[in-house]
Amino acid sequence: MNTPIISFRDFTFQYRAQARPTLYNINLDIYPGEKILIAGPSGSGKSTLASCVNGLIPFSYPGESTGQLFVDGMEAKKESIFQLSKSVGTVLQDPDGQFIGLTVAEDIAFALENDCVPQAEMHTATKRAAALVDVENHLGYAPHELSGGQKQRVSLAGVMVDDVKILLFDEPLANLDPAAGKQTIELIDRIQKETDTTVLIIEHRLEDVLWRSVDRIVLMDEGRIAADLRPDELLSGDLLTRTGIREPLYLTALKYAGVDVTPEKKPAHPETLVLDEKDQELVRSWFHSVQAPPPPAAQAPLLEVRGLNFGYTKDRTTLRDISFSIRKGEMVSIVGRNGAGKSTLSKLICGFETPDSGSVFLDGRDISDDNIRTRARRIGYVMQNPNQMISKTMIFDEVALGLVQSGLKPDEVRARVEDTLKICGLYPFRNWPVSALSFGQKKRVTIASVLALGPEIIILDEPTAGQDFRHYTEIMEFLRDLNAQGVTVLMITHDMHLMLEYTPRALVFSSGSLIADKSAAEVLCDSDLVERAALKETSLFTLATRCGIEPPEQFVQRFIDYDREVREHGC
Amino acid sequence: MAANTVLNYLPRKSMVHELTGTTKLAFFLLFTFASMITYDTRVLIGLMVISFAAFRVSHIKLREVRFMLVFMLVFLILNDVFIYLFNPEQGVEIYGTRHVIATLFWRYTITWEQLFYTFNISLKYFVALPIAILFISATNPSEFAASLNKIGVSYRVGYSVSIALRYIPDIQRDYHSISQAQQARGVELGKKEKLLARMKNSVNILLPLILSSLARIDTISNAMELRGFGKKSKRTWYVQRPFSRNDYLVLAFGVLILVLSLVITFWDGNRFYNPFV
C-alpha cells in the first residue's frame, strides 16, 4: 500500500491539435489493489487521463506533456504502448468495435498471439480467462451471436489473459441495458477481489457504478481534479451537482425531505444508508406534503398498433401480437433488453419492414399500404447515431434535404428550414459545417432534419446514449418543449432516469411481447417486471420501502414531479 | 439482419475441411498454376477429374455455391464469344490446319480448330474454378490469415484481410439502416423508385457510411494496439493446426500434379495438344 502503482506528478497534457491543455497540473496517486471511479462531465479530461495511463497518448493521439506520470514503475511517456499494455488492460466503451477476433476464443487469445505465445499455452490461458468471466461455454461463438454484456465480458477476458496489474474501464455502462450494466459492475467487483488488480472505472453514471463499493472517487472538472474523496464524503457535499454530475436520486430525495446527509450516514448505497427514525419521519412527511398534479386531459388516439406479428425469417418471430395505442401529445418510452423487439417495432411503424400480420393506424386510418416516404410526412424517425443520418456537409442543406426531395419551391424550403432551425435553437449556426458541431448539437441537427418535414409523431432511438448529465438534460428538455408544442414523442431507451423523468408512460417489451403498458414509476417499482425486461429498480423504490411508504410508486412519482418543479423554478 | 455474403465459409465434416489452411492455400496455388500453364487437352481433362473429385469429397453442394457457378458460366461464355469475335482464326493459327464446318459472313467461319480451342479454354475454367470455390468455402476465415502468413505473407497483411472479412456484415447492416433513415426523409431509394433517381440519391448514403466506417477503423485500431498488435515481427495463431499425414500427402500430390502436367505439356515442345496432325 506504500508505493503508488500509478502516480501523476504536476502532469499537464495538451493535444497537438488543441490550443489549450486538456489536463492541468494533475497530482494523483493510485495504490495497488484500489478501486477508483473517475467521474466528470464530457470534456472534463477523464478520458484523456485514461489514455495517458494506457499509452494511447501519445501513441495514437500525439501531444505535449509536462510533469511526470509513472505507471507500474515505468515512466509512461518513455515506454511504448506495448510495454504499458503488459501492465494496463483497457476495456473500451464500444463492445462491438473492439471485438477483433472472428470467434470468442480468438478474441481472447489476441494479445497472446501478438506475444508469440506457443499454441498449447495459449489455449490453456484462453480457457482460464474465459472461465474467469463466465464465457467458457461460448468459445466458438461469433460476435453477432453474443449479447452486448457478453461481448464486454470477452473484451475483459482479452485483457485478463495477460495478467495485467491495472484494469481500465472506459465508460463500461454506455452501451448496455440496465440489467447488463448492473452485472458488469458486479463482475468488475468480483474480478478485482479475486485477482487483486487495481481498477480504474471512467464513468459519469455515478449511481450505477456505486451499485458496488469503490474506494475513492476522483472527480474531474475542466481538466483539473475537483475532488478526490471517499464516496461517502463526496456524496455528502454538493460538489457533484456543481460539476454537472447527477447525484444518486435517493440522495436528492433525502435532501428535499430535509435530511442532513453526512459521511457518517454512509450514503454510498441506498440499502446500507443509515436512516434513523427521525430521518424516516422526515421523508414520510415530505411525501405527504407534496401534492400530485392533476392528470392531463386525455386526447384522442393518434397512433394505434393492432395485433402486429413479425419475424425476419420464417422460423423466428421477433414480435408477437403487439397492440397498443398512443394518444396525441403523449411522451412514451419503449424499454426492454437488447433484442426484445423495440427497434423492430419502430421499423414496422415507419414502414421499413412489412408486418406478417396486423396493422398500424394513424388517426384511425390503416396506413399499411403507405410506403416509407408517405409515412415519413407524419412519422419522423431519428437514429441513435447522428453520424449515420447526416449526409450533407452544411447544416442548412442537411435540414433542407427532405424538403428539397419533396419538390417544394426554394423559398418555401428556406422559410421552413429557418423556422425549424429556430425551434431547435440552431438558427445561429445555419451556415456552419456540420463537422464543427458537438455530438449533442449533431443530434439536434438530425432531429431538426426530421422535424422540417412536419411530422406529428417522432420516434427516437436512444436519444441520449453516451451523453453526460448536462447534454442529456439539454436534449431531453428540447424534446419536452417539442412535446409541449404538440409533437407526440416515442423513445426507445435503456436510460431508467430518462424514462422516469420525461415519459409518464412506458411500454415494456420482453422477447417479442409487450409485457406491460403503464406508468414509468409503476414499472420501476415492480420487481418481477424489472427482472423480466432487464431493467433496473430505481433507488427511490428502495428508499420508499425503507421508510415504509406505501405504495412506493406514488413516492417515486411525487419525487419526479417535485424535482421537475425545483429544476424549472430553481427553488 | 441482411448478413449473407456472396462468398462464405461453409463448415462441414470432410477430408477437405480437415486439411490445414496452409495446405489448402498451397494446393490451390500449385493447382491453379498447373491449369494456367497448360492447354494440353489430356492434362486438362485429368485435372478436371481431380478438381471434381475434390469438390465431391468436400460435401459442399452445388446449390450452395450457385451464385459463383452462374457468375463463372456467364464469364466463360463472354470469354469464348469475345475470343471468337476478335480472332475467329485463333484456333487455325495455333493448330496449323484448317477444317471449315460452315461460313457465316465476312471473316467469321466456324472451324474444327476454333471449336477445339474454345473447348480447351472452357475446360480450363472447369478445372480451376471448383478448386477456387472450394478453397474459399472450405477454409475457416480465421485460418485464412494464418495460412497466408505461413506461406510468407506478412501477418499484418493477412490480418487486414481477415478484419475486412469480419466487418463486411457490420458494414452491410450500417448501409441498410442508413438507407432506411434516408428513405424516411423522403429520399428515393426504395426498390419501387426509378433507377436513375436511386443511383443519384445513393450518394446520400455514402457520406454517413464512410464516416461511420472511419469511426469503426479508429476504434478497432486502438483496440488492436492496446493489445499489442504489431509489437513483434512474428506472431502465433490460436487456430493454426499442426500438419497431419493427409496434409503432407496432399502437398506432395499438388507438386506431383504440377510436375506431371508440365512434363506432359512440354514433352512435344508445345503447350497445345494437337489432334489435327
PDB file of all heavy atoms in Angstrom, chain A residues 205-231:
ATOM      1  N   ARG A 205     -21.966   7.919 -14.962  1.00  0.00           N
ATOM      2  CA  ARG A 205     -23.199   7.415 -14.330  1.00  0.00           C
ATOM      3  C   ARG A 205     -22.862   6.886 -12.945  1.00  0.00           C
ATOM      4  O   ARG A 205     -22.759   5.680 -12.709  1.00  0.00           O
ATOM      5  CB  ARG A 205     -23.814   6.347 -15.207  1.00  0.00           C
ATOM      6  CG  ARG A 205     -24.390   6.966 -16.453  1.00  0.00           C
ATOM      7  CD  ARG A 205     -24.460   5.994 -17.568  1.00  0.00           C
ATOM      8  NE  ARG A 205     -25.567   5.067 -17.382  1.00  0.00           N
ATOM      9  CZ  ARG A 205     -26.048   4.341 -18.369  1.00  0.00           C
ATOM     10  NH1 ARG A 205     -25.545   4.446 -19.563  1.00  0.00           N
ATOM     11  NH2 ARG A 205     -27.037   3.520 -18.145  1.00  0.00           N
ATOM     12  N   LEU A 206     -22.759   7.835 -12.028  1.00  0.00           N
ATOM     13  CA  LEU A 206     -22.287   7.569 -10.685  1.00  0.00           C
ATOM     14  C   LEU A 206     -23.130   6.530  -9.943  1.00  0.00           C
ATOM     15  O   LEU A 206     -22.619   5.560  -9.397  1.00  0.00           O
ATOM     16  CB  LEU A 206     -22.312   8.909  -9.936  1.00  0.00           C
ATOM     17  CG  LEU A 206     -21.552   8.964  -8.649  1.00  0.00           C
ATOM     18  CD1 LEU A 206     -20.082   9.005  -8.942  1.00  0.00           C
ATOM     19  CD2 LEU A 206     -21.962  10.208  -7.878  1.00  0.00           C
ATOM     20  N   GLU A 207     -24.443   6.745  -9.977  1.00  0.00           N
ATOM     21  CA  GLU A 207     -25.327   5.885  -9.189  1.00  0.00           C
ATOM     22  C   GLU A 207     -25.188   4.423  -9.613  1.00  0.00           C
ATOM     23  O   GLU A 207     -25.215   3.520  -8.781  1.00  0.00           O
ATOM     24  CB  GLU A 207     -26.782   6.352  -9.343  1.00  0.00           C
ATOM     25  CG  GLU A 207     -27.732   5.555  -8.467  1.00  0.00           C
ATOM     26  CD  GLU A 207     -29.151   6.115  -8.414  1.00  0.00           C
ATOM     27  OE1 GLU A 207     -29.355   7.273  -8.810  1.00  0.00           O
ATOM     28  OE2 GLU A 207     -30.034   5.374  -7.969  1.00  0.00           O
ATOM     29  N   ASP A 208     -25.022   4.194 -10.931  1.00  0.00           N
ATOM     30  CA  ASP A 208     -24.926   2.826 -11.424  1.00  0.00           C
ATOM     31  C   ASP A 208     -23.611   2.159 -11.011  1.00  0.00           C
ATOM     32  O   ASP A 208     -23.577   0.989 -10.683  1.00  0.00           O
ATOM     33  CB  ASP A 208     -25.081   2.794 -12.946  1.00  0.00           C
ATOM     34  CG  ASP A 208     -26.482   3.211 -13.362  1.00  0.00           C
ATOM     35  OD1 ASP A 208     -27.409   2.984 -12.565  1.00  0.00           O
ATOM     36  OD2 ASP A 208     -26.639   3.768 -14.450  1.00  0.00           O
ATOM     37  N   VAL A 209     -22.525   2.927 -11.038  1.00  0.00           N
ATOM     38  CA  VAL A 209     -21.236   2.359 -10.638  1.00  0.00           C
ATOM     39  C   VAL A 209     -21.254   2.035  -9.149  1.00  0.00           C
ATOM     40  O   VAL A 209     -20.723   1.020  -8.709  1.00  0.00           O
ATOM     41  CB  VAL A 209     -20.079   3.321 -10.954  1.00  0.00           C
ATOM     42  CG1 VAL A 209     -18.755   2.742 -10.470  1.00  0.00           C
ATOM     43  CG2 VAL A 209     -20.007   3.594 -12.441  1.00  0.00           C
ATOM     44  N   LEU A 210     -21.905   2.879  -8.367  1.00  0.00           N
ATOM     45  CA  LEU A 210     -21.902   2.692  -6.911  1.00  0.00           C
ATOM     46  C   LEU A 210     -22.751   1.513  -6.449  1.00  0.00           C
ATOM     47  O   LEU A 210     -22.901   1.280  -5.253  1.00  0.00           O
ATOM     48  CB  LEU A 210     -22.354   3.976  -6.206  1.00  0.00           C
ATOM     49  CG  LEU A 210     -21.314   5.098  -6.260  1.00  0.00           C
ATOM     50  CD1 LEU A 210     -21.820   6.335  -5.576  1.00  0.00           C
ATOM     51  CD2 LEU A 210     -20.004   4.644  -5.627  1.00  0.00           C
ATOM     52  N   TRP A 211     -23.313   0.768  -7.395  1.00  0.00           N
ATOM     53  CA  TRP A 211     -24.002  -0.480  -7.062  1.00  0.00           C
ATOM     54  C   TRP A 211     -23.062  -1.386  -6.266  1.00  0.00           C
ATOM     55  O   TRP A 211     -23.468  -2.174  -5.436  1.00  0.00           O
ATOM     56  CB  TRP A 211     -24.457  -1.129  -8.364  1.00  0.00           C
ATOM     57  CG  TRP A 211     -25.002  -2.511  -8.253  1.00  0.00           C
ATOM     58  CD1 TRP A 211     -24.477  -3.631  -8.799  1.00  0.00           C
ATOM     59  CD2 TRP A 211     -26.192  -2.920  -7.586  1.00  0.00           C
ATOM     60  NE1 TRP A 211     -25.252  -4.719  -8.499  1.00  0.00           N
ATOM     61  CE2 TRP A 211     -26.318  -4.323  -7.750  1.00  0.00           C
ATOM     62  CE3 TRP A 211     -27.169  -2.252  -6.829  1.00  0.00           C
ATOM     63  CZ2 TRP A 211     -27.367  -5.057  -7.218  1.00  0.00           C
ATOM     64  CZ3 TRP A 211     -28.218  -2.992  -6.301  1.00  0.00           C
ATOM     65  CH2 TRP A 211     -28.303  -4.369  -6.494  1.00  0.00           C
ATOM     66  N   ARG A 212     -21.762  -1.292  -6.536  1.00  0.00           N
ATOM     67  CA  ARG A 212     -20.755  -1.977  -5.718  1.00  0.00           C
ATOM     68  C   ARG A 212     -19.761  -0.921  -5.226  1.00  0.00           C
ATOM     69  O   ARG A 212     -19.525   0.070  -5.905  1.00  0.00           O
ATOM     70  CB  ARG A 212     -20.012  -3.035  -6.542  1.00  0.00           C
ATOM     71  CG  ARG A 212     -20.817  -4.290  -6.810  1.00  0.00           C
ATOM     72  CD  ARG A 212     -20.971  -5.133  -5.555  1.00  0.00           C
ATOM     73  NE  ARG A 212     -21.761  -6.335  -5.769  1.00  0.00           N
ATOM     74  CZ  ARG A 212     -23.084  -6.395  -5.648  1.00  0.00           C
ATOM     75  NH1 ARG A 212     -23.777  -5.316  -5.329  1.00  0.00           N
ATOM     76  NH2 ARG A 212     -23.720  -7.528  -5.835  1.00  0.00           N
ATOM     77  N   SER A 213     -19.157  -1.188  -4.073  1.00  0.00           N
ATOM     78  CA  SER A 213     -18.299  -0.173  -3.446  1.00  0.00           C
ATOM     79  C   SER A 213     -17.084   0.176  -4.293  1.00  0.00           C
ATOM     80  O   SER A 213     -16.522  -0.677  -4.978  1.00  0.00           O
ATOM     81  CB  SER A 213     -17.779  -0.690  -2.118  1.00  0.00           C
ATOM     82  OG  SER A 213     -18.850  -0.950  -1.279  1.00  0.00           O
ATOM     83  N   VAL A 214     -16.698   1.437  -4.242  1.00  0.00           N
ATOM     84  CA  VAL A 214     -15.391   1.828  -4.767  1.00  0.00           C
ATOM     85  C   VAL A 214     -14.627   2.478  -3.613  1.00  0.00           C
ATOM     86  O   VAL A 214     -15.222   2.918  -2.638  1.00  0.00           O
ATOM     87  CB  VAL A 214     -15.495   2.809  -5.953  1.00  0.00           C
ATOM     88  CG1 VAL A 214     -16.272   2.201  -7.090  1.00  0.00           C
ATOM     89  CG2 VAL A 214     -16.117   4.128  -5.535  1.00  0.00           C
ATOM     90  N   ASP A 215     -13.302   2.505  -3.726  1.00  0.00           N
ATOM     91  CA  ASP A 215     -12.514   3.075  -2.642  1.00  0.00           C
ATOM     92  C   ASP A 215     -12.517   4.602  -2.657  1.00  0.00           C
ATOM     93  O   ASP A 215     -12.640   5.241  -1.634  1.00  0.00           O
ATOM     94  CB  ASP A 215     -11.073   2.562  -2.713  1.00  0.00           C
ATOM     95  CG  ASP A 215     -11.009   1.065  -2.486  1.00  0.00           C
ATOM     96  OD1 ASP A 215     -11.631   0.612  -1.511  1.00  0.00           O
ATOM     97  OD2 ASP A 215     -10.386   0.357  -3.294  1.00  0.00           O
ATOM     98  N   ARG A 216     -12.337   5.138  -3.867  1.00  0.00           N
ATOM     99  CA  ARG A 216     -12.298   6.597  -3.966  1.00  0.00           C
ATOM    100  C   ARG A 216     -12.995   7.034  -5.242  1.00  0.00           C
ATOM    101  O   ARG A 216     -13.059   6.284  -6.203  1.00  0.00           O
ATOM    102  CB  ARG A 216     -10.844   7.079  -4.046  1.00  0.00           C
ATOM    103  CG  ARG A 216     -10.136   7.137  -2.713  1.00  0.00           C
ATOM    104  CD  ARG A 216      -8.810   7.843  -2.868  1.00  0.00           C
ATOM    105  NE  ARG A 216      -7.816   7.022  -3.526  1.00  0.00           N
ATOM    106  CZ  ARG A 216      -6.763   7.514  -4.174  1.00  0.00           C
ATOM    107  NH1 ARG A 216      -6.600   8.830  -4.284  1.00  0.00           N
ATOM    108  NH2 ARG A 216      -5.875   6.722  -4.728  1.00  0.00           N
ATOM    109  N   ILE A 217     -13.478   8.261  -5.240  1.00  0.00           N
ATOM    110  CA  ILE A 217     -13.998   8.856  -6.465  1.00  0.00           C
ATOM    111  C   ILE A 217     -13.126  10.056  -6.802  1.00  0.00           C
ATOM    112  O   ILE A 217     -12.939  10.942  -5.960  1.00  0.00           O
ATOM    113  CB  ILE A 217     -15.464   9.299  -6.318  1.00  0.00           C
ATOM    114  CG1 ILE A 217     -16.339   8.101  -5.943  1.00  0.00           C
ATOM    115  CG2 ILE A 217     -15.966   9.943  -7.596  1.00  0.00           C
ATOM    116  CD1 ILE A 217     -17.793   8.457  -5.697  1.00  0.00           C
ATOM    117  N   VAL A 218     -12.556  10.047  -8.001  1.00  0.00           N
ATOM    118  CA  VAL A 218     -11.805  11.216  -8.465  1.00  0.00           C
ATOM    119  C   VAL A 218     -12.727  11.982  -9.387  1.00  0.00           C
ATOM    120  O   VAL A 218     -13.175  11.460 -10.405  1.00  0.00           O
ATOM    121  CB  VAL A 218     -10.522  10.785  -9.208  1.00  0.00           C
ATOM    122  CG1 VAL A 218      -9.827  11.986  -9.803  1.00  0.00           C
ATOM    123  CG2 VAL A 218      -9.594  10.036  -8.266  1.00  0.00           C
ATOM    124  N   LEU A 219     -13.045  13.201  -9.020  1.00  0.00           N
ATOM    125  CA  LEU A 219     -13.985  13.998  -9.795  1.00  0.00           C
ATOM    126  C   LEU A 219     -13.203  14.976 -10.653  1.00  0.00           C
ATOM    127  O   LEU A 219     -12.413  15.779 -10.134  1.00  0.00           O
ATOM    128  CB  LEU A 219     -14.913  14.747  -8.829  1.00  0.00           C
ATOM    129  CG  LEU A 219     -16.073  15.493  -9.449  1.00  0.00           C
ATOM    130  CD1 LEU A 219     -17.009  14.549 -10.153  1.00  0.00           C
ATOM    131  CD2 LEU A 219     -16.825  16.261  -8.361  1.00  0.00           C
ATOM    132  N   MET A 220     -13.379  14.890 -11.954  1.00  0.00           N
ATOM    133  CA  MET A 220     -12.645  15.768 -12.863  1.00  0.00           C
ATOM    134  C   MET A 220     -13.557  16.892 -13.315  1.00  0.00           C
ATOM    135  O   MET A 220     -14.746  16.696 -13.539  1.00  0.00           O
ATOM    136  CB  MET A 220     -12.198  14.994 -14.108  1.00  0.00           C
ATOM    137  CG  MET A 220     -11.275  13.823 -13.883  1.00  0.00           C
ATOM    138  SD  MET A 220      -9.599  14.332 -13.538  1.00  0.00           S
ATOM    139  CE  MET A 220      -9.190  15.215 -15.038  1.00  0.00           C
ATOM    140  N   ASP A 221     -12.981  18.072 -13.476  1.00  0.00           N
ATOM    141  CA  ASP A 221     -13.747  19.187 -13.993  1.00  0.00           C
ATOM    142  C   ASP A 221     -12.808  20.126 -14.734  1.00  0.00           C
ATOM    143  O   ASP A 221     -11.821  20.596 -14.158  1.00  0.00           O
ATOM    144  CB  ASP A 221     -14.450  19.916 -12.835  1.00  0.00           C
ATOM    145  CG  ASP A 221     -15.455  20.935 -13.348  1.00  0.00           C
ATOM    146  OD1 ASP A 221     -15.941  20.758 -14.478  1.00  0.00           O
ATOM    147  OD2 ASP A 221     -15.724  21.900 -12.609  1.00  0.00           O
ATOM    148  N   GLU A 222     -13.081  20.363 -15.978  1.00  0.00           N
ATOM    149  CA  GLU A 222     -12.295  21.242 -16.827  1.00  0.00           C
ATOM    150  C   GLU A 222     -10.794  20.989 -16.742  1.00  0.00           C
ATOM    151  O   GLU A 222     -10.003  21.905 -16.571  1.00  0.00           O
ATOM    152  CB  GLU A 222     -12.618  22.701 -16.501  1.00  0.00           C
ATOM    153  CG  GLU A 222     -14.070  22.996 -16.841  1.00  0.00           C
ATOM    154  CD  GLU A 222     -14.465  24.436 -16.592  1.00  0.00           C
ATOM    155  OE1 GLU A 222     -13.637  25.195 -16.050  1.00  0.00           O
ATOM    156  OE2 GLU A 222     -15.592  24.779 -16.956  1.00  0.00           O
ATOM    157  N   GLY A 223     -10.428  19.723 -16.836  1.00  0.00           N
ATOM    158  CA  GLY A 223      -9.015  19.369 -16.899  1.00  0.00           C
ATOM    159  C   GLY A 223      -8.304  19.329 -15.563  1.00  0.00           C
ATOM    160  O   GLY A 223      -7.102  19.113 -15.508  1.00  0.00           O
ATOM    161  N   ARG A 224      -9.021  19.585 -14.473  1.00  0.00           N
ATOM    162  CA  ARG A 224      -8.394  19.546 -13.158  1.00  0.00           C
ATOM    163  C   ARG A 224      -9.136  18.553 -12.275  1.00  0.00           C
ATOM    164  O   ARG A 224     -10.287  18.221 -12.540  1.00  0.00           O
ATOM    165  CB  ARG A 224      -8.435  20.918 -12.485  1.00  0.00           C
ATOM    166  CG  ARG A 224      -7.612  21.950 -13.200  1.00  0.00           C
ATOM    167  CD  ARG A 224      -7.902  23.332 -12.612  1.00  0.00           C
ATOM    168  NE  ARG A 224      -7.721  24.360 -13.622  1.00  0.00           N
ATOM    169  CZ  ARG A 224      -6.558  24.919 -13.932  1.00  0.00           C
ATOM    170  NH1 ARG A 224      -5.488  24.560 -13.296  1.00  0.00           N
ATOM    171  NH2 ARG A 224      -6.468  25.823 -14.882  1.00  0.00           N
ATOM    172  N   ILE A 225      -8.460  18.137 -11.201  1.00  0.00           N
ATOM    173  CA  ILE A 225      -9.131  17.262 -10.246  1.00  0.00           C
ATOM    174  C   ILE A 225      -9.912  18.133  -9.278  1.00  0.00           C
ATOM    175  O   ILE A 225      -9.339  18.943  -8.552  1.00  0.00           O
ATOM    176  CB  ILE A 225      -8.106  16.385  -9.507  1.00  0.00           C
ATOM    177  CG1 ILE A 225      -7.482  15.395 -10.498  1.00  0.00           C
ATOM    178  CG2 ILE A 225      -8.763  15.643  -8.362  1.00  0.00           C
ATOM    179  CD1 ILE A 225      -6.436  14.494  -9.905  1.00  0.00           C
ATOM    180  N   ALA A 226     -11.235  18.001  -9.316  1.00  0.00           N
ATOM    181  CA  ALA A 226     -12.064  18.838  -8.457  1.00  0.00           C
ATOM    182  C   ALA A 226     -12.226  18.208  -7.078  1.00  0.00           C
ATOM    183  O   ALA A 226     -12.451  18.905  -6.093  1.00  0.00           O
ATOM    184  CB  ALA A 226     -13.434  19.043  -9.098  1.00  0.00           C
ATOM    185  N   ALA A 227     -12.114  16.902  -7.005  1.00  0.00           N
ATOM    186  CA  ALA A 227     -12.222  16.228  -5.713  1.00  0.00           C
ATOM    187  C   ALA A 227     -11.614  14.852  -5.819  1.00  0.00           C
ATOM    188  O   ALA A 227     -11.602  14.248  -6.893  1.00  0.00           O
ATOM    189  CB  ALA A 227     -13.689  16.108  -5.297  1.00  0.00           C
ATOM    190  N   ASP A 228     -11.084  14.379  -4.720  1.00  0.00           N
ATOM    191  CA  ASP A 228     -10.520  13.042  -4.648  1.00  0.00           C
ATOM    192  C   ASP A 228     -10.886  12.530  -3.267  1.00  0.00           C
ATOM    193  O   ASP A 228     -10.152  12.720  -2.307  1.00  0.00           O
ATOM    194  CB  ASP A 228      -8.994  13.134  -4.862  1.00  0.00           C
ATOM    195  CG  ASP A 228      -8.313  11.778  -4.701  1.00  0.00           C
ATOM    196  OD1 ASP A 228      -9.021  10.778  -4.514  1.00  0.00           O
ATOM    197  OD2 ASP A 228      -7.070  11.747  -4.763  1.00  0.00           O
ATOM    198  N   LEU A 229     -12.067  11.927  -3.149  1.00  0.00           N
ATOM    199  CA  LEU A 229     -12.633  11.631  -1.835  1.00  0.00           C
ATOM    200  C   LEU A 229     -13.218  10.234  -1.772  1.00  0.00           C
ATOM    201  O   LEU A 229     -13.478   9.605  -2.800  1.00  0.00           O
ATOM    202  CB  LEU A 229     -13.777  12.617  -1.538  1.00  0.00           C
ATOM    203  CG  LEU A 229     -13.422  14.095  -1.406  1.00  0.00           C
ATOM    204  CD1 LEU A 229     -14.691  14.926  -1.434  1.00  0.00           C
ATOM    205  CD2 LEU A 229     -12.655  14.332  -0.114  1.00  0.00           C
ATOM    206  N   ARG A 230     -13.466   9.774  -0.541  1.00  0.00           N
ATOM    207  CA  ARG A 230     -14.216   8.533  -0.387  1.00  0.00           C
ATOM    208  C   ARG A 230     -15.656   8.815  -0.802  1.00  0.00           C
ATOM    209  O   ARG A 230     -16.139   9.943  -0.627  1.00  0.00           O
ATOM    210  CB  ARG A 230     -14.176   8.066   1.069  1.00  0.00           C
ATOM    211  CG  ARG A 230     -12.797   7.529   1.504  1.00  0.00           C
ATOM    212  CD  ARG A 230     -12.881   6.864   2.868  1.00  0.00           C
ATOM    213  NE  ARG A 230     -13.435   7.765   3.883  1.00  0.00           N
ATOM    214  CZ  ARG A 230     -14.630   7.627   4.433  1.00  0.00           C
ATOM    215  NH1 ARG A 230     -15.409   6.615   4.086  1.00  0.00           N
ATOM    216  NH2 ARG A 230     -15.066   8.482   5.329  1.00  0.00           N
ATOM    217  N   PRO A 231     -16.363   7.811  -1.356  1.00  0.00           N
ATOM    218  CA  PRO A 231     -17.724   8.053  -1.840  1.00  0.00           C
ATOM    219  C   PRO A 231     -18.622   8.709  -0.790  1.00  0.00           C
ATOM    220  O   PRO A 231     -19.364   9.646  -1.104  1.00  0.00           O
ATOM    221  CB  PRO A 231     -18.231   6.656  -2.193  1.00  0.00           C
ATOM    222  CG  PRO A 231     -17.027   5.834  -2.415  1.00  0.00           C
ATOM    223  CD  PRO A 231     -15.918   6.436  -1.626  1.00  0.00           C
TER     224      PRO A 231
END
